[in-house]
Amino acid sequence: MSERITGHTELIGLMAYPIRHSSSPAMQNEAFAALGIDYAYLAFEIDENEIEDAVKAIRTLKMRGSNVSMPNKTLVGKYLDELSPASKLTGSVNTIVNDNGHLTGYVTDGIGFMSALKDNNIDPIGKKMTIVGAGGAATAVEIQAALDGVAEMSIFNIRDKFFPNGEETARKINEQTNCKATFYDLADTKKLKEEMDSSYIFVNGTGAGMKPLEDVSVVPDKSYFRPELIVVDVPYSPLCTKMRKMAKEVGCKTMNGLGMMLFQGSAAFELWTGKPMPIEHMKKVLNINYDD
Ligand code: NAD
């Protein structure tokens, strides 16, 4: 008889819609099994109309916690008892920890991004970053990079509904961290080239390059890249975006979004279990190569 799930097993959820495509359940359950931790991680299809009841269920079922993804990341905070400093600054939550009925919200996307850079020997501290994006993932990366000590940040976005959010993030960074942030319209390609030319690292923090925007690149062509520039994607499906293909052709060191995915999960794992995720084991099992 299988003893993997017992009467003592603690439940962790993932609450988002759509969510059936997610690799988080496989990743977290593999890590629990590898360390012999009696937790199980399950995905629940929960949309914005159900998230309040789902948080009540975390309390009622005495779950250990949950991950939260779109569309609930910016909505769930108001149902929790406490928010981490990064959650307050970004206005988003991707991890909930239940300590005997006291629910705390954290955002681990930015920590995951910075840890993945470190694991790949990329060190942007004290240097300049140019980043495209004003949505949930990019905002978390921008705030964490500024909190960690990136010296200067140029943020670009297209003029869509996220545009004001990018302006707001630059304002918060300037007010609340030592990083100097400036926000630009991505349509200003002359400025984009100038800012990329003076940066140590360039980040695509948008959905461009990921399904259904596989044919979209936030950088118009490969003349924008120089071999010394480090080029990082937040999206990871398909693994290599059109933008990173161009950067590779120029000879840039590049990194896909899998590292961020692994390390945001690892930070959440540690919040629930108090133990570090076995990273090298996970990289092998998940077949993670940063440059793919
Ligand atoms: P979001 O909906 O909050 O933000 C979308 C962003 O994409 C905005 O900045 C928007 O302006 C931009 N955008 C949309 N269409 C564009 C276009 N045609 N050209 C240029 N920019 C465009 O989404 P999100 O949650 O921030 O996710 C963004 C991407 O990051 C997604 O691909 C998501 O899967 C990925 N992601 C990866 C990780 C990871 O761990 N690697 C974590 C979270 C999100």
PDB file of all heavy atoms in Angstrom, residues 262-281:
ATOM      1  N   LEU A 262      12.222  28.135 -11.346  1.00  0.00           N
ATOM      2  CA  LEU A 262      12.727  27.226 -10.318  1.00  0.00           C
ATOM      3  C   LEU A 262      12.925  27.949  -8.987  1.00  0.00           C
ATOM      4  O   LEU A 262      12.485  27.488  -7.936  1.00  0.00           O
ATOM      5  CB  LEU A 262      14.053  26.605 -10.792  1.00  0.00           C
ATOM      6  CG  LEU A 262      14.792  25.747  -9.774  1.00  0.00           C
ATOM      7  CD1 LEU A 262      13.983  24.519  -9.413  1.00  0.00           C
ATOM      8  CD2 LEU A 262      16.157  25.312 -10.323  1.00  0.00           C
ATOM      9  N   PHE A 263      13.589  29.110  -9.039  1.00  0.00           N
ATOM     10  CA  PHE A 263      13.954  29.777  -7.790  1.00  0.00           C
ATOM     11  C   PHE A 263      12.773  30.490  -7.117  1.00  0.00           C
ATOM     12  O   PHE A 263      12.767  30.646  -5.897  1.00  0.00           O
ATOM     13  CB  PHE A 263      15.136  30.727  -8.009  1.00  0.00           C
ATOM     14  CG  PHE A 263      16.460  29.996  -8.040  1.00  0.00           C
ATOM     15  CD1 PHE A 263      16.996  29.540  -9.236  1.00  0.00           C
ATOM     16  CD2 PHE A 263      17.143  29.739  -6.868  1.00  0.00           C
ATOM     17  CE1 PHE A 263      18.201  28.847  -9.258  1.00  0.00           C
ATOM     18  CE2 PHE A 263      18.344  29.056  -6.881  1.00  0.00           C
ATOM     19  CZ  PHE A 263      18.885  28.604  -8.073  1.00  0.00           C
ATOM     20  N   GLN A 264      11.735  30.911  -7.902  1.00  0.00           N
ATOM     21  CA  GLN A 264      10.553  31.459  -7.211  1.00  0.00           C
ATOM     22  C   GLN A 264       9.847  30.326  -6.473  1.00  0.00           C
ATOM     23  O   GLN A 264       9.330  30.515  -5.370  1.00  0.00           O
ATOM     24  CB  GLN A 264       9.609  32.237  -8.153  1.00  0.00           C
ATOM     25  CG  GLN A 264       8.981  31.471  -9.329  1.00  0.00           C
ATOM     26  CD  GLN A 264       7.793  30.600  -8.945  1.00  0.00           C
ATOM     27  OE1 GLN A 264       7.081  30.881  -8.003  1.00  0.00           O
ATOM     28  NE2 GLN A 264       7.586  29.518  -9.685  1.00  0.00           N
ATOM     29  N   GLY A 265       9.868  29.128  -7.057  1.00  0.00           N
ATOM     30  CA  GLY A 265       9.281  27.954  -6.402  1.00  0.00           C
ATOM     31  C   GLY A 265      10.099  27.549  -5.186  1.00  0.00           C
ATOM     32  O   GLY A 265       9.555  27.161  -4.149  1.00  0.00           O
ATOM     33  N   SER A 266      11.413  27.668  -5.318  1.00  0.00           N
ATOM     34  CA  SER A 266      12.307  27.307  -4.226  1.00  0.00           C
ATOM     35  C   SER A 266      12.097  28.238  -3.025  1.00  0.00           C
ATOM     36  O   SER A 266      12.077  27.795  -1.873  1.00  0.00           O
ATOM     37  CB  SER A 266      13.740  27.377  -4.744  1.00  0.00           C
ATOM     38  OG  SER A 266      14.631  27.581  -3.716  1.00  0.00           O
ATOM     39  N   ALA A 267      11.908  29.537  -3.292  1.00  0.00           N
ATOM     40  CA  ALA A 267      11.679  30.499  -2.193  1.00  0.00           C
ATOM     41  C   ALA A 267      10.358  30.195  -1.496  1.00  0.00           C
ATOM     42  O   ALA A 267      10.261  30.251  -0.264  1.00  0.00           O
ATOM     43  CB  ALA A 267      11.690  31.927  -2.737  1.00  0.00           C
ATOM     44  N   ALA A 268       9.327  29.826  -2.270  1.00  0.00           N
ATOM     45  CA  ALA A 268       8.027  29.477  -1.676  1.00  0.00           C
ATOM     46  C   ALA A 268       8.163  28.195  -0.847  1.00  0.00           C
ATOM     47  O   ALA A 268       7.667  28.110   0.282  1.00  0.00           O
ATOM     48  CB  ALA A 268       6.984  29.304  -2.774  1.00  0.00           C
ATOM     49  N   PHE A 269       8.869  27.208  -1.409  1.00  0.00           N
ATOM     50  CA  PHE A 269       9.107  25.920  -0.733  1.00  0.00           C
ATOM     51  C   PHE A 269       9.721  26.163   0.654  1.00  0.00           C
ATOM     52  O   PHE A 269       9.304  25.587   1.650  1.00  0.00           O
ATOM     53  CB  PHE A 269      10.052  25.091  -1.613  1.00  0.00           C
ATOM     54  CG  PHE A 269      10.414  23.731  -1.084  1.00  0.00           C
ATOM     55  CD1 PHE A 269       9.696  22.610  -1.464  1.00  0.00           C
ATOM     56  CD2 PHE A 269      11.500  23.567  -0.232  1.00  0.00           C
ATOM     57  CE1 PHE A 269      10.041  21.342  -0.997  1.00  0.00           C
ATOM     58  CE2 PHE A 269      11.857  22.310   0.243  1.00  0.00           C
ATOM     59  CZ  PHE A 269      11.119  21.190  -0.141  1.00  0.00           C
ATOM     60  N   GLU A 270      10.706  27.064   0.686  1.00  0.00           N
ATOM     61  CA  GLU A 270      11.400  27.348   1.948  1.00  0.00           C
ATOM     62  C   GLU A 270      10.477  28.052   2.950  1.00  0.00           C
ATOM     63  O   GLU A 270      10.548  27.812   4.159  1.00  0.00           O
ATOM     64  CB  GLU A 270      12.650  28.191   1.652  1.00  0.00           C
ATOM     65  CG  GLU A 270      13.643  28.122   2.764  1.00  0.00           C
ATOM     66  CD  GLU A 270      15.070  28.502   2.346  1.00  0.00           C
ATOM     67  OE1 GLU A 270      15.387  28.469   1.137  1.00  0.00           O
ATOM     68  OE2 GLU A 270      15.848  28.826   3.254  1.00  0.00           O
ATOM     69  N   LEU A 271       9.580  28.916   2.430  1.00  0.00           N
ATOM     70  CA  LEU A 271       8.636  29.592   3.331  1.00  0.00           C
ATOM     71  C   LEU A 271       7.687  28.583   3.988  1.00  0.00           C
ATOM     72  O   LEU A 271       7.324  28.711   5.144  1.00  0.00           O
ATOM     73  CB  LEU A 271       7.824  30.643   2.559  1.00  0.00           C
ATOM     74  CG  LEU A 271       8.586  31.914   2.166  1.00  0.00           C
ATOM     75  CD1 LEU A 271       7.784  32.737   1.155  1.00  0.00           C
ATOM     76  CD2 LEU A 271       8.893  32.756   3.408  1.00  0.00           C
ATOM     77  N   TRP A 272       7.253  27.553   3.239  1.00  0.00           N
ATOM     78  CA  TRP A 272       6.321  26.573   3.801  1.00  0.00           C
ATOM     79  C   TRP A 272       7.012  25.553   4.693  1.00  0.00           C
ATOM     80  O   TRP A 272       6.469  25.162   5.710  1.00  0.00           O
ATOM     81  CB  TRP A 272       5.614  25.796   2.678  1.00  0.00           C
ATOM     82  CG  TRP A 272       4.755  26.615   1.784  1.00  0.00           C
ATOM     83  CD1 TRP A 272       3.850  27.573   2.164  1.00  0.00           C
ATOM     84  CD2 TRP A 272       4.691  26.553   0.360  1.00  0.00           C
ATOM     85  NE1 TRP A 272       3.239  28.115   1.066  1.00  0.00           N
ATOM     86  CE2 TRP A 272       3.732  27.499  -0.054  1.00  0.00           C
ATOM     87  CE3 TRP A 272       5.345  25.790  -0.605  1.00  0.00           C
ATOM     88  CZ2 TRP A 272       3.421  27.708  -1.399  1.00  0.00           C
ATOM     89  CZ3 TRP A 272       5.038  25.990  -1.934  1.00  0.00           C
ATOM     90  CH2 TRP A 272       4.088  26.939  -2.326  1.00  0.00           C
ATOM     91  N   THR A 273       8.225  25.110   4.265  1.00  0.00           N
ATOM     92  CA  THR A 273       8.848  23.953   4.937  1.00  0.00           C
ATOM     93  C   THR A 273       9.984  24.349   5.883  1.00  0.00           C
ATOM     94  O   THR A 273      10.400  23.542   6.710  1.00  0.00           O
ATOM     95  CB  THR A 273       9.456  22.975   3.900  1.00  0.00           C
ATOM     96  OG1 THR A 273      10.568  23.623   3.266  1.00  0.00           O
ATOM     97  CG2 THR A 273       8.445  22.558   2.851  1.00  0.00           C
ATOM     98  N   GLY A 274      10.524  25.566   5.717  1.00  0.00           N
ATOM     99  CA  GLY A 274      11.691  25.973   6.507  1.00  0.00           C
ATOM    100  C   GLY A 274      12.974  25.332   6.006  1.00  0.00           C
ATOM    101  O   GLY A 274      14.036  25.484   6.611  1.00  0.00           O
ATOM    102  N   LYS A 275      12.888  24.587   4.873  1.00  0.00           N
ATOM    103  CA  LYS A 275      14.089  23.910   4.339  1.00  0.00           C
ATOM    104  C   LYS A 275      14.358  24.381   2.916  1.00  0.00           C
ATOM    105  O   LYS A 275      13.407  24.620   2.158  1.00  0.00           O
ATOM    106  CB  LYS A 275      13.853  22.393   4.305  1.00  0.00           C
ATOM    107  CG  LYS A 275      13.594  21.797   5.667  1.00  0.00           C
ATOM    108  CD  LYS A 275      13.849  20.293   5.642  1.00  0.00           C
ATOM    109  CE  LYS A 275      13.839  19.740   7.047  1.00  0.00           C
ATOM    110  NZ  LYS A 275      12.568  19.178   7.458  1.00  0.00           N
ATOM    111  N   PRO A 276      15.638  24.495   2.516  1.00  0.00           N
ATOM    112  CA  PRO A 276      15.925  24.874   1.135  1.00  0.00           C
ATOM    113  C   PRO A 276      15.554  23.756   0.156  1.00  0.00           C
ATOM    114  O   PRO A 276      15.694  22.572   0.488  1.00  0.00           O
ATOM    115  CB  PRO A 276      17.433  25.136   1.121  1.00  0.00           C
ATOM    116  CG  PRO A 276      17.971  24.520   2.350  1.00  0.00           C
ATOM    117  CD  PRO A 276      16.850  24.322   3.329  1.00  0.00           C
ATOM    118  N   MET A 277      15.079  24.129  -1.011  1.00  0.00           N
ATOM    119  CA  MET A 277      14.772  23.138  -2.046  1.00  0.00           C
ATOM    120  C   MET A 277      16.095  22.527  -2.536  1.00  0.00           C
ATOM    121  O   MET A 277      17.094  23.247  -2.646  1.00  0.00           O
ATOM    122  CB  MET A 277      14.053  23.848  -3.204  1.00  0.00           C
ATOM    123  CG  MET A 277      13.413  22.936  -4.208  1.00  0.00           C
ATOM    124  SD  MET A 277      12.606  23.902  -5.514  1.00  0.00           S
ATOM    125  CE  MET A 277      10.903  23.595  -5.164  1.00  0.00           C
ATOM    126  N   PRO A 278      16.134  21.237  -2.831  1.00  0.00           N
ATOM    127  CA  PRO A 278      17.381  20.635  -3.344  1.00  0.00           C
ATOM    128  C   PRO A 278      17.602  21.049  -4.804  1.00  0.00           C
ATOM    129  O   PRO A 278      17.228  20.332  -5.737  1.00  0.00           O
ATOM    130  CB  PRO A 278      17.119  19.133  -3.205  1.00  0.00           C
ATOM    131  CG  PRO A 278      15.637  18.980  -3.195  1.00  0.00           C
ATOM    132  CD  PRO A 278      15.047  20.253  -2.699  1.00  0.00           C
ATOM    133  N   ILE A 279      18.240  22.213  -4.980  1.00  0.00           N
ATOM    134  CA  ILE A 279      18.287  22.873  -6.286  1.00  0.00           C
ATOM    135  C   ILE A 279      18.980  22.025  -7.363  1.00  0.00           C
ATOM    136  O   ILE A 279      18.467  21.884  -8.475  1.00  0.00           O
ATOM    137  CB  ILE A 279      18.980  24.258  -6.162  1.00  0.00           C
ATOM    138  CG1 ILE A 279      18.058  25.230  -5.412  1.00  0.00           C
ATOM    139  CG2 ILE A 279      19.375  24.826  -7.521  1.00  0.00           C
ATOM    140  CD1 ILE A 279      16.796  25.624  -6.149  1.00  0.00           C
ATOM    141  N   GLU A 280      20.150  21.463  -7.019  1.00  0.00           N
ATOM    142  CA  GLU A 280      20.888  20.720  -8.055  1.00  0.00           C
ATOM    143  C   GLU A 280      20.083  19.492  -8.503  1.00  0.00           C
ATOM    144  O   GLU A 280      20.011  19.184  -9.693  1.00  0.00           O
ATOM    145  CB  GLU A 280      22.287  20.313  -7.559  1.00  0.00           C
ATOM    146  CG  GLU A 280      23.233  21.494  -7.395  1.00  0.00           C
ATOM    147  CD  GLU A 280      23.266  22.446  -8.605  1.00  0.00           C
ATOM    148  OE1 GLU A 280      23.330  21.976  -9.763  1.00  0.00           O
ATOM    149  OE2 GLU A 280      23.210  23.687  -8.403  1.00  0.00           O
ATOM    150  N   HIS A 281      19.434  18.814  -7.547  1.00  0.00           N
ATOM    151  CA  HIS A 281      18.573  17.669  -7.869  1.00  0.00           C
ATOM    152  C   HIS A 281      17.435  18.136  -8.784  1.00  0.00           C
ATOM    153  O   HIS A 281      17.121  17.493  -9.799  1.00  0.00           O
ATOM    154  CB  HIS A 281      18.014  17.074  -6.574  1.00  0.00           C
ATOM    155  CG  HIS A 281      16.917  16.068  -6.789  1.00  0.00           C
ATOM    156  ND1 HIS A 281      17.173  14.765  -7.175  1.00  0.00           N
ATOM    157  CD2 HIS A 281      15.558  16.167  -6.708  1.00  0.00           C
ATOM    158  CE1 HIS A 281      16.027  14.118  -7.305  1.00  0.00           C
ATOM    159  NE2 HIS A 281      15.035  14.945  -7.031  1.00  0.00           N
TER     160      HIS A 281
END
